[in-house]
PDB file of all heavy atoms in Angstrom:
ATOM      1  N   GLY L 505      -0.838 -21.777 -17.242  1.00 86.00           N
ATOM      2  CA  GLY L 505      -0.901 -20.323 -17.126  1.00 86.00           C
ATOM      3  C   GLY L 505      -1.988 -19.740 -18.097  1.00 86.00           C
ATOM      4  O   GLY L 505      -2.027 -18.610 -18.413  1.00 86.00           O
ATOM      5  N   GLY L 506      -2.679 -20.730 -18.727  1.00 87.00           N
ATOM      6  CA  GLY L 506      -3.688 -20.209 -19.728  1.00 87.00           C
ATOM      7  C   GLY L 506      -5.138 -20.250 -19.318  1.00 87.00           C
ATOM      8  O   GLY L 506      -5.409 -20.625 -18.091  1.00 87.00           O
ATOM      9  N   SER L 507      -5.966 -20.013 -20.233  1.00 88.00           N
ATOM     10  CA  SER L 507      -7.505 -20.125 -19.782  1.00 88.00           C
ATOM     11  C   SER L 507      -8.208 -20.855 -20.797  1.00 88.00           C
ATOM     12  O   SER L 507      -7.709 -21.236 -21.957  1.00 88.00           O
ATOM     13  CB  SER L 507      -8.157 -18.728 -19.652  1.00 88.00           C
ATOM     14  OG  SER L 507      -7.758 -17.949 -20.939  1.00 88.00           O
ATOM     15  N   ILE L 508      -9.430 -21.397 -20.495  1.00 89.00           N
ATOM     16  CA  ILE L 508     -10.090 -22.250 -21.405  1.00 89.00           C
ATOM     17  C   ILE L 508     -11.576 -21.694 -21.481  1.00 89.00           C
ATOM     18  O   ILE L 508     -12.060 -21.200 -20.536  1.00 89.00           O
ATOM     19  CB  ILE L 508     -10.146 -23.752 -20.831  1.00 89.00           C
ATOM     20  CG1 ILE L 508     -10.572 -24.664 -21.841  1.00 89.00           C
ATOM     21  CG2 ILE L 508     -10.930 -23.944 -19.496  1.00 89.00           C
ATOM     22  CD1 ILE L 508     -10.211 -26.120 -21.578  1.00 89.00           C
ATOM     23  N   GLY L 509     -12.182 -21.954 -22.603  1.00 87.00           N
ATOM     24  CA  GLY L 509     -13.617 -21.476 -22.758  1.00 87.00           C
ATOM     25  C   GLY L 509     -14.283 -22.145 -23.856  1.00 87.00           C
ATOM     26  O   GLY L 509     -13.734 -22.914 -24.695  1.00 87.00           O
ATOM     27  N   VAL L 510     -15.547 -21.647 -24.112  1.00 87.00           N
ATOM     28  CA  VAL L 510     -16.193 -22.262 -25.263  1.00 87.00           C
ATOM     29  C   VAL L 510     -17.141 -21.205 -25.888  1.00 87.00           C
ATOM     30  O   VAL L 510     -17.646 -20.384 -25.133  1.00 87.00           O
ATOM     31  CB  VAL L 510     -17.110 -23.568 -24.815  1.00 87.00           C
ATOM     32  CG1 VAL L 510     -18.217 -23.195 -23.936  1.00 87.00           C
ATOM     33  CG2 VAL L 510     -17.743 -24.213 -26.135  1.00 87.00           C
ATOM     34  N   GLU L 511     -17.125 -21.227 -27.160  1.00 86.00           N
ATOM     35  CA  GLU L 511     -18.130 -20.485 -27.943  1.00 86.00           C
ATOM     36  C   GLU L 511     -19.044 -21.363 -28.677  1.00 86.00           C
ATOM     37  O   GLU L 511     -18.572 -22.301 -29.153  1.00 86.00           O
ATOM     38  CB  GLU L 511     -17.470 -19.380 -28.839  1.00 86.00           C
ATOM     39  CG  GLU L 511     -16.912 -18.223 -28.142  1.00 86.00           C
ATOM     40  CD  GLU L 511     -15.701 -17.680 -28.720  1.00 86.00           C
ATOM     41  OE1 GLU L 511     -15.508 -17.912 -29.869  1.00 86.00           O
ATOM     42  OE2 GLU L 511     -14.831 -16.998 -27.950  1.00 86.00           O
ATOM     43  N   SER L 512     -20.274 -21.138 -28.790  1.00 83.00           N
ATOM     44  CA  SER L 512     -21.254 -22.065 -29.350  1.00 83.00           C
ATOM     45  C   SER L 512     -22.408 -21.392 -29.940  1.00 83.00           C
ATOM     46  O   SER L 512     -22.932 -20.469 -29.423  1.00 83.00           O
ATOM     47  CB  SER L 512     -21.660 -23.196 -28.406  1.00 83.00           C
ATOM     48  OG  SER L 512     -22.209 -24.199 -29.094  1.00 83.00           O
ATOM     49  N   THR L 513     -22.866 -21.944 -31.075  1.00 84.00           N
ATOM     50  CA  THR L 513     -24.230 -21.570 -31.648  1.00 84.00           C
ATOM     51  C   THR L 513     -25.027 -22.824 -31.757  1.00 84.00           C
ATOM     52  O   THR L 513     -24.656 -23.733 -32.400  1.00 84.00           O
ATOM     53  CB  THR L 513     -24.182 -20.921 -33.068  1.00 84.00           C
ATOM     54  OG1 THR L 513     -22.965 -19.918 -32.925  1.00 84.00           O
ATOM     55  CG2 THR L 513     -25.363 -20.187 -33.431  1.00 84.00           C
ATOM     56  N   VAL L 514     -26.188 -22.822 -31.065  1.00 83.00           N
ATOM     57  CA  VAL L 514     -27.037 -24.000 -31.176  1.00 83.00           C
ATOM     58  C   VAL L 514     -27.512 -24.353 -32.541  1.00 83.00           C
ATOM     59  O   VAL L 514     -27.958 -23.491 -33.254  1.00 83.00           O
ATOM     60  CB  VAL L 514     -28.221 -23.854 -30.209  1.00 83.00           C
ATOM     61  CG1 VAL L 514     -29.258 -25.115 -30.393  1.00 83.00           C
ATOM     62  CG2 VAL L 514     -27.807 -23.753 -28.727  1.00 83.00           C
ATOM     63  N   GLY L 515     -27.220 -25.572 -32.940  1.00 82.00           N
ATOM     64  CA  GLY L 515     -27.526 -26.011 -34.323  1.00 82.00           C
ATOM     65  C   GLY L 515     -26.398 -25.810 -35.447  1.00 82.00           C
ATOM     66  O   GLY L 515     -26.478 -26.395 -36.398  1.00 82.00           O
ATOM     67  N   VAL L 516     -25.388 -24.988 -34.970  1.00 83.00           N
ATOM     68  CA  VAL L 516     -24.303 -24.858 -35.909  1.00 83.00           C
ATOM     69  C   VAL L 516     -22.932 -25.481 -35.423  1.00 83.00           C
ATOM     70  O   VAL L 516     -22.317 -26.206 -36.246  1.00 83.00           O
ATOM     71  CB  VAL L 516     -24.014 -23.373 -36.048  1.00 83.00           C
ATOM     72  CG1 VAL L 516     -22.768 -23.095 -36.957  1.00 83.00           C
ATOM     73  CG2 VAL L 516     -25.208 -22.672 -36.588  1.00 83.00           C
TER      74      VAL L 516
END
Side-chain angles (χ1 to χ4, degrees):
Chain L
S507 49
I508 194 166
V510 64
E511 278 146 28
S512 185
T513 312
V514 175
V516 177

